[in-house]
Amino acid sequence: MIAIIDYGVGNIQNVERAIRHLGYKTMLTHQEAEILEADCIVLPGVGHFKAAMTALEACNLVSILKGIQSKPIIGICLGMQLLYEFSEEGHVDGLGLIPGQVKHIQTLLPVPHLGWNELHSDHPNLKGDVYFIHSYQAEMNAYTVAYADYETEIPAVVQHRNAIGIQFHPEKSGEVGLNILETALKGGFVDDRNLASH
């Protein structure tokens, strides 16, 4: 069962349809017991970082998500950014599951970064064009496993242990996006996940 965190921020229905299309059972929830029983957790999100963190806190989800170490937590779009330690968008702390910060995109090209862009990665499942829409980006660091070139390097897929971030919208990125989402649901893209055995 895949738990999709329902905290009032995000395009949850499209994400849920995509996961169900891959053959998984889903539940929309913000209940601790259901989250802890799930095989995998998906944190969607669109909008403003500070508003999203405030919503997570209002649902008492911050400490729950920080405490999960034995199953994948997948952040999508803003959900990916929430996995980081801090964001310039609202100057507020995130969940701290991935080391690093989120900053405004510094590029001579138009912001937001909107539309299709190509992934660059050594991972065989991280190839093709995917659909982005965002004005802030995570910083490039050791946890970046795929990036897009937008006159600056923008992390597109990241992973630290069981925390996995997808900056683009896999549910809007065709078969490429669905394949990437499925790999994430199965545990991710790197071998140092430090997941407990089930």
Side-chain angles (χ1 to χ4, degrees):
M1 179 67 73
I2 309 299
I4 303 173
I5 303 299
D6 184 5
Y7 63 115
V9 179
N11 193 3
I12 294 175
Q13 286 72 30
N14 285 344
V15 171
E16 182 181 32
R17 278 195 292 270
I19 294 172
R20 287 185 174 179
H21 177 77
L22 293 170
Y24 293 88
K25 293 181 180 179
T26 63
M27 58 180 169
L28 302 179
T29 184
H30 59 266
Q31 300 298 322
E32 180 176 9
E34 293 178 334
I35 292 169
L36 296 180
E37 289 173 4
D39 300 308
C40 179
I41 297 153
V42 174
L43 179 64
V46 295
H48 195 277
F49 190 103
K50 184 175 182 179
M53 283 302 301
T54 299
L56 287 176
E57 290 166 356
C59 294
N60 298 312
L61 289 168
V62 173
S63 60
I64 295 170
L65 294 174
K66 283 185 173 183
I68 294 171
Q69 300 179 1
S70 61
K71 64 188 74 178
I73 300 177
I74 304 167
I76 297 176
C77 196
L78 177 60
M80 166 180 149
Q81 298 179 8
L82 296 174
L83 300 177
Y84 281 82
E85 295 172 313
F86 178 82
S87 176
E88 288 182 352
E89 187 178 28
H91 298 278
V92 64
D93 290 339
L95 294 170
L97 299 178
I98 299 178
Q101 298 188 7
V102 174
K103 301 181 178 182
H104 195 270
I105 298 173
Q106 299 298 314
T107 178
L108 297 176
L109 298 175
V111 176
H113 174 211
L114 171 62
W116 296 87
N117 204 341
E118 181 182 2
L119 294 176
H120 300 274
S121 177
D122 294 330
H123 194 286
N125 287 1
L126 292 172
K127 305 293 183 182
D129 291 347
V130 292
Y131 189 83
F132 292 85
I133 178 169
H134 62 117
S135 298
Y136 287 78
Q137 68 165 88
E139 59 186 351
M140 290 284 292
N141 60 22
Y143 309 107
T144 303
V145 292
Y147 69 93
D149 184 358
Y150 196 62
E151 198 265 321
T152 187
E153 293 180 346
I154 294 178
V157 179
V158 298
Q159 183 167 356
H160 177 52
R161 297 179 179 169
N162 64 313
I164 303 163
I166 302 174
Q167 178 62 76
F168 55 89
H169 286 275
E171 77 281 7
K172 296 181 179 180
S173 300
E175 288 301 314
V176 171
L178 290 175
N179 289 338
I180 291 170
L181 180 59
E182 184 162 34
T183 302
L185 292 169
K186 290 179 176 178
F189 306 90
V190 298
D191 294 328
D192 62 346
R193 296 189 296 273
N194 194 30
L195 296 180
S197 59
H198 297 284

